[in-house]
Amino acid sequence: MIRPGIRRLLAFATRTRRGREREVNEEIRVHFELRTEQLMRGGLSREDALRLAEQRFGPLEESRDQLLNAAAAREKRMTVNDHIESIQQDVAFALRQLRRSPAFAVTVIVTLGLGIGANATMFGVVDRLLLQPPVGVVDPARVVTPSVQAGHRMQHVQDRLSYPIYRDLRNTTDVFSEVGAWDTNALTVGDGQNAVSIAGIIATASYFRALGVRPLLGRFFTDEETDIAPAPRVIVLGYWYWQRQLAGAATAVGSTIVISGQPFTVIGIAPRDFNGLGLGDVAAWAPFTTSTSAADFAEWSHTRQRFMLNIVARLRPGVSLQAATTQGTAGLHAGSRLDSYTDADIRDRNEQLMLTSALPRDARGGRAEARVATLVAAVSLLVLIIACANVANLQVARAMSRRREVAIRLALGISRRRLLRQLALDGLILSVAGGAAALVIVAWGGGFVRRLLLNGASAQVSPVNWRVMVFTAVIAVLTGVVTGLLPAVQSTRADLSRALRTGGRGAHGSFSRTRFALIGVQAALTIVLLVGTVLFVRSLWRIEAVPLGMETGRILEARVNSSGRDYSNEQRVRDYERLERAAVAIPEVDGAAMSMTKPFGSSSGVEVVIPGRDSVQTTRTGGPYYNAVSPDFFRTMGTRVVGGRAFTIGDRAGAAPVAIVNQTTATLWWPNENAIGKCIKIGGDSMPCSEIVGVVENTRRQAIIEDPTVMVFTPLGQGPSWATPYTLFIRTRQAAPDVATSVAAQLRAAAPGVPYTSVRPFDDSINPQMRSWRLGATMFGLFAGVALLLAAVGLYGVMAYDVTQRTTEIGVRMALGARAVDIGRLVVWRGVRIAAVGGVIGVVLAIAAGSRVSSLLFQTSAYEPVAFLLAASVLCGVTLFATLVPALRATRVDPNTSLRAD
């Protein structure tokens, strides 16, 4: 008996508008007749009764339209309700089926969770790195960060700029509405043994205006507070620091906080999640000249080649990037003339302003880390495809086991469309559950990946947000459609007579071919991931082997954090000397030395004159660059002296000026002569001659991968007044990370009057430049491992099921004389052949993708044969392992049992 709801559904589905019109006309006719008869029984004639009935009924056409619309709406409601009821029934049926196969459901959910989770995690990383605009910044498309390109044939780009250049850009008011300067600077909260270092930024008042940010509470700095030295002791707190340390109290504004032993007044609270243009949490902002004395500020604010600032500017409305670049370059040249540079000097330097949008895709898109993150995100898609192939394989296997059930339902009259929907719902429900598992994976493991790929990113930003959840939901639905549709279509196209006759036994050609094709896809993509892993690992090995001219693994860097103090150069020198004496007395220390600039951190340009020459040659990196160091600097850093001597205690103020150059400088300036004993004038033609007493091996200035640099060293005591120590380098007797905490504690105890001293391994300054290769090797390796596991499980499942379906065939072969080893070889060869075909396709894909990866590798070709050989070997080993158990099972088939069962 057909249910009333289904009968209505079938009836309404066949109705047309013409049918509804007939019904409405009939209903109106019957109404008229009934009303006319009623009026005639009241004594009216038929003509009078018809006329009165029409008057009471109203306009006929209008009433007909209303009835038609009501009928259509009623039918639509009934149709929708029936559809909803039908879908609810299908969902309930799918859930019952999955409850009967818990192992299958758990396997699919975990597999999809891994694939979708990998993609959701990488989407969160790329979204944070390249897609989301800086929080709190108003109209970030008009915010730019300037840099300067100098030189003619050999050009170099300077990202950190000097205060005079900041002044020049600030004066270019026709294209920039605001120009701000800033720099990262750790701030010391508290004093003595209880002092702690927090992430801070020192900035000008115009920094906030250039970003267009407004305080959450209180106010930001004023120009009067940041354009003088020393600056007033005021501070702006970051939102999360305010929440953690001051419980988010509104009374925090106006309170005081102790920084380096000095009271600072809190004048404002920054907006939630505002961190400037960076990714990391900023705990506080202090005025730019907080720890600068008036004399020091007067010195470096007029030194054009002391590169120490980050600059941010806001374009005026309607000003293009090209126009701002042209006008800004003119402003640089005008400022150089004010600083007594001649037109010849300006032409020789050929400084050109470069502007980069502060939008993440422009500001970070060209960096190696961002490019690797984008590549890894694309690679995670391969993991998802492998996971989908694995799940589709499981779904196909399940569909093969349900062939008899599907055939019976089709024979009983269920429509193929309804059956297709039921089977597809299985995949959709599993994929939604896999999406939920993916969110758990993102929440659990996303933090690790974000720390790896977004070094220094805010810890307050959760890896799971609404954007990640929407992305996960979309991917889950698409995955469900992809993995469920193919098995569902194949099931509904089954041969009913054959399925009913054979039941669940016997191989089915189309099903088997589909499963083997999916295994081939997994093998191909796994090869691509394995090749990428090998290439990035080899690149990492080679970048770690690059000679830096320093033994970085045994070096600590110690810096005096003088934030909040009016710190003169003389005081700074005395404190560093105290730290140096304290450091060499520590048992774990093998030497210590001071340096004005820090490799991989800062550099300073200088004018050098060689008597009798019009100019000196430089390299693509610019320069000459200059550093003032204490006598034991080269031994402490592990830099070899290849000619002459190092500095000694006798090379002090008042002694004969001396200098040391690196190998590049000696070869470039005196190609066919010995540089020892030559005279150079450091700082200009009016300076006295400095005799070159030594030549040292080349060291890196700012980057692991950079062209040779022209470098000149002088003793710290003979340097200019602003050549004060920037860093104390400490050489340890064992690995620097192992003794960093101990050395820091002993330094602070031995020099209690020195402002807070931060100590960290020198490698921490270098490691960020290796991050792109470490990221590539780690993430490719992680994803390749997941892909290899999924491929192995998939291949094992296919071969095990294949052996089960071919039990009769194997029994016949053994009855005809086949040996167990022949049967095992047959099964293994079948699995190896499938993997080999997929592997060949994978090699082709890896070669095709080589051009996209080449620029991210270091001294490694994307087509190195060893990478392909290693990848193929690993896949071959996993294939043999995955087919071994099914092969052993096949060798144990009893011919008599299998033949009797058939």
Side-chain angles (χ1 to χ4, degrees):
M1 181 176 179
I2 301 178
R3 294 178 56 183
I6 297 178
R7 186 167 57 247
R8 289 198 308 271
L9 175 62
L10 295 174
F12 288 134
T14 58
R15 288 180 183 171
T16 63
R17 180 175 177 83
R18 183 177 299 174
R20 287 196 296 270
E21 289 177 350
R22 284 199 302 267
E23 290 181 358
V24 168
N25 290 334
E26 180 65 17
E27 185 176 350
I28 292 174
R29 185 187 65 78
V30 171
H31 174 79
F32 265 56
E33 287 183 357
L34 291 174
R35 187 61 174 163
T36 300
E37 290 177 2
Q38 183 181 12
L39 292 173
M40 288 174 65
R41 284 196 298 269
L44 295 177
S45 65
R46 182 172 181 80
E47 290 76 10
D48 292 337
L50 285 172
R51 184 171 59 254
L52 184 59
E54 289 179 358
Q55 290 175 357
R56 292 181 178 182
F57 192 82
L60 186 61
E61 291 301 323
E62 182 178 341
S63 299
R64 180 182 287 107
D65 291 341
Q66 290 176 354
L67 288 171
L68 283 172
N69 292 335
R74 182 176 65 254
E75 292 177 8
K76 183 176 181 181
R77 283 196 306 272
M78 296 179 69
T79 303
V80 170
N81 290 336
D82 287 330
H83 276 301
I84 293 174
E85 182 183 358
S86 175
I87 291 174
Q88 289 175 341
Q89 293 172 356
D90 291 343
V91 169
F93 178 77
L95 291 174
R96 287 197 302 272
Q97 291 294 322
L98 292 176
R99 279 198 299 269
R100 295 173 183 173
S101 308
F104 166 80
V106 170
T107 302
V108 171
I109 290 171
V110 171
T111 301
L112 289 178
L114 289 173
I116 299 173
N119 280 263
T121 299
M122 290 311 306
F123 170 79
V125 169
V126 173
D127 182 50
R128 177 68 173 153
L129 188 65
L130 297 177
L131 302 181
Q132 291 188 35
V135 177
V137 177
V138 176
D139 194 6
R142 291 200 293 118
V143 178
V144 295
T145 56
S147 57
V148 172
Q149 177 179 277
H152 289 279
R153 182 176 58 87
M154 293 180 294
Q155 297 177 333
H156 69 281
V157 176
Q158 193 70 45
D159 293 321
R160 291 169 66 88
L161 305 176
S162 62
Y163 192 89
I165 293 178
Y166 159 66
R167 178 202 62 203
D168 298 340
L169 297 178
R170 189 177 57 184
N171 292 336
T172 313
T173 56
D174 50 344
V175 292
F176 301 122
S177 59
E178 291 290 349
V179 178
W182 62 281
D183 194 15
T184 56
N185 188 46
L187 302 175
T188 304
V189 177
D191 208 355
Q193 297 296 321
N194 296 323
V196 294
S197 181
I198 62 174
I201 283 180
I202 54 174
T204 61
S206 53
Y207 161 85
F208 296 104
R209 296 196 299 268
L211 295 178
V213 65
R214 295 182 180 275
L216 180 68
L217 294 175
R219 65 177 179 86
F220 289 142
F221 313 134
T222 63
D223 291 325
E224 291 73 18
E225 291 169 327
T226 60
D227 290 350
I228 61 171
R233 295 191 177 97
V234 293
I235 197 165
V236 174
L237 298 182
Y239 178 86
W240 290 110
Y241 183 84
W242 171 57
Q243 289 289 324
R244 289 193 305 268
Q245 302 298 323
L246 302 175
T251 55
V253 176
S255 64
T256 59
I257 181 172
V258 177
I259 297 180
S260 297
Q262 303 296 322
F264 274 62
T265 301
V266 178
I267 62 172
I269 307 296
R272 181 188 178 105
D273 293 331
F274 171 71
N275 296 307
L277 297 178
L279 295 173
D281 285 323
V282 178
W285 285 262
F288 191 74
T289 51
T290 294
S291 57
T292 304
S293 66
D296 196 15
F297 180 63
E299 182 69 43
W300 59 255
S301 64
H302 291 86
T303 304
R304 200 165 189 85
Q305 294 194 50
R306 192 168 184 184
F307 307 118
M308 53 184 292
L309 307 179
N310 298 294
I311 297 179
V312 60
R314 178 172 289 274
L315 298 177
R316 288 192 176 279
V319 176
S320 67
L321 206 62
Q322 183 177 1
T325 301
T326 303
Q327 293 296 319
T329 300
L332 290 184
H333 296 168
S336 297
R337 293 187 183 94
L338 291 176
D339 288 339
S340 302
Y341 281 75
T342 66
D343 288 342
D345 293 332
I346 294 172
R347 286 194 299 272
D348 182 61
R349 292 179 59 78
N350 191 32
E351 288 184 334
Q352 303 292 323
L353 184 69
M354 299 175 62
L355 299 176
T356 303
S357 171
L359 291 173
R361 64 176 179 269
D362 297 322
R364 306 188 190 108
R367 297 180 186 176
E369 293 91 339
R371 293 161 60 202
V372 169
T374 305
L375 175 63
V376 172
V379 167
S380 68
L381 183 61
L382 300 185
V383 177
L384 179 61
I385 295 174
I386 293 173
C388 288
N390 213 322
V391 170
N393 235 325
L394 292 172
Q395 294 274 39
V396 169
R398 187 161 177 261
M400 292 171 69
S401 66
R402 296 177 63 188
R403 278 180 298 167
R404 184 178 180 84
E405 172 200 338
V406 170
I408 292 174
R409 296 178 69 192
L410 287 171
L412 291 177
I414 189 174
S415 69
R416 291 182 183 269
R417 181 177 180 181
R418 175 73 180 275
L419 182 60
L420 180 64
R421 187 176 71 187
Q422 286 184 348
L423 296 175
L425 272 174
D426 285 359
L428 188 59
I429 291 172
L430 288 170
S431 67
V432 170
L439 290 177
V440 174
I441 292 173
V442 173
W444 176 68
F448 164 75
V449 176
R450 288 169 70 87
R451 285 192 298 273
L452 191 66
L453 292 171
L454 300 177
N455 187 35
S458 172
Q460 310 301 330
V461 179
S462 171
V464 179
N465 54 40
W466 71 268
R467 295 161 70 98
V468 172
M469 294 179 69
V470 169
F471 176 84
T472 303
V474 172
I475 292 296
V477 171
L478 291 177
T479 300
V481 172
V482 170
T483 58
L485 199 57
L486 177 63
V489 170
Q490 285 196 329
S491 296
T492 57
R493 291 179 178 175
D495 185 339
L496 297 186
S497 61
R498 181 178 180 185
L500 291 171
R501 186 174 61 253
T502 62
R505 296 174 293 124
H508 191 286
S510 62
F511 279 106
S512 298
R513 286 192 296 271
T514 300
R515 300 197 70 194
F516 290 143
L518 291 172
I519 286 297
V521 169
Q522 293 183 63
L525 298 182
T526 301
I527 281 286
V528 174
L529 294 175
L530 289 172
V531 169
T533 301
V534 176
L535 293 177
F536 271 100
V537 168
R538 289 173 68 83
S539 293
L540 180 60
W541 288 348
R542 287 166 178 165
I543 194 67
E544 289 178 339
V546 170
L548 303 179
M550 295 170 281
E551 298 176 7
T552 61
R554 291 173 52 197
I555 299 175
L556 294 171
E557 55 175 272
R559 295 185 61 188
V560 173
N561 189 339
S562 57
S563 56
R565 298 192 178 192
D566 181 2
Y567 213 48
S568 66
N569 289 342
E570 294 76 13
Q571 289 175 304
R572 186 177 287 108
V573 171
R574 286 196 298 270
D575 283 342
Y576 270 100
E577 288 175 343
R578 287 180 60 191
L579 287 175
E580 184 180 25
R581 290 192 297 271
V584 295
I586 296 174
E588 296 96 334
V589 172
D590 189 35
M594 295 178 285
S595 174
M596 182 193 77
T597 64
K598 185 174 82 71
F600 298 96
S602 65
S603 61
S604 181
V606 68
E607 182 183 2
V608 175
V609 175
I610 300 177
R613 299 188 188 181
D614 294 334
S615 62
V616 296
Q617 291 177 283
T618 61
T619 62
R620 189 182 300 275
T621 56
Y625 294 99
Y626 167 74
N627 195 10
V629 299
S630 60
D632 205 28
F633 176 79
F634 298 112
R635 190 188 74 83
T636 298
M637 302 299 290
T639 302
R640 294 181 300 110
V641 178
V642 297
R645 65 173 177 86
F647 296 134
T648 65
I649 298 177
D651 299 320
R652 58 171 63 93
V658 294
I660 290 176
V661 297
N662 65 356
Q663 289 176 296
T664 294
T665 307
T667 303
L668 195 63
W669 290 355
W670 299 282
N672 300 313
E673 304 176 61
N674 188 353
I676 306 299
K678 300 297 184 182
C679 163
I680 58 175
K681 295 183 177 183
I682 302 172
D685 197 30
S686 61
M687 302 301 293
C689 270
S690 294
E691 179 187 355
I692 296 178
V693 297
V695 177
V696 296
E697 66 176 313
N698 290 333
T699 58
R700 294 299 192 267
R701 178 181 66 94
Q702 292 281 23
I704 297 175
I705 304 175
E706 67 178 10
D707 291 333
T709 300
V710 174
M711 196 77 197
V712 177
F713 301 88
T714 67
L716 196 58
Q718 294 182 358
S721 59
W722 47 267
T724 55
Y726 177 83
T727 305
L728 174 67
F729 290 103
I730 301 170
R731 184 182 182 86
T732 59
R733 299 183 187 278
Q734 50 189 301
D738 297 339
V739 297
T741 303
S742 172
V743 169
Q746 294 180 69
L747 276 182
R748 292 167 191 155
V754 177
Y756 184 83
T757 305
S758 62
V759 178
R760 66 171 189 165
F762 183 45
D763 273 341
D764 288 356
S765 299
I766 303 172
N767 287 337
Q769 297 195 22
M770 297 185 180
R771 288 187 66 244
S772 62
W773 295 284
R774 287 201 175 101
L775 295 178
T778 302
M779 298 307 297
F780 261 91
L782 178 63
F783 288 159
V786 172
L788 203 58
L789 176 63
L790 293 176
V793 171
L795 181 60
Y796 167 79
V798 168
M799 297 310 301
Y801 191 85
D802 187 57
V803 168
T804 301
Q805 293 296 304
R806 299 175 65 191
T807 300
T808 301
E809 176 192 340
I810 293 173
V812 171
R813 287 177 179 270
M814 297 185 75
L816 294 176
R819 297 174 301 170
V821 66
D822 297 326
I823 298 298
R825 187 185 300 116
L826 179 68
V827 174
V828 171
W829 171 243
R830 189 175 176 87
V832 169
R833 186 174 57 191
I834 298 169
V837 173
V840 171
I841 297 174
V843 168
V844 174
L845 292 175
I847 292 174
S851 59
R852 300 296 182 92
V853 182
S854 294
S855 61
L856 298 174
L857 304 176
F858 178 73
Q859 294 182 356
T860 302
S861 169
Y863 311 104
E864 287 195 0
V866 65
F868 292 88
L869 288 175
L870 284 174
S873 300
V874 171
L875 181 63
C876 182
V878 170
T879 300
L880 292 174
F881 181 78
T883 56
L884 184 61
V885 174
L888 290 175
R889 184 181 300 169
T891 61
R892 295 169 183 165
V893 170
D894 183 356
N896 295 325
T897 303
S898 63
L899 291 174
R900 279 199 301 270
D902 189 60

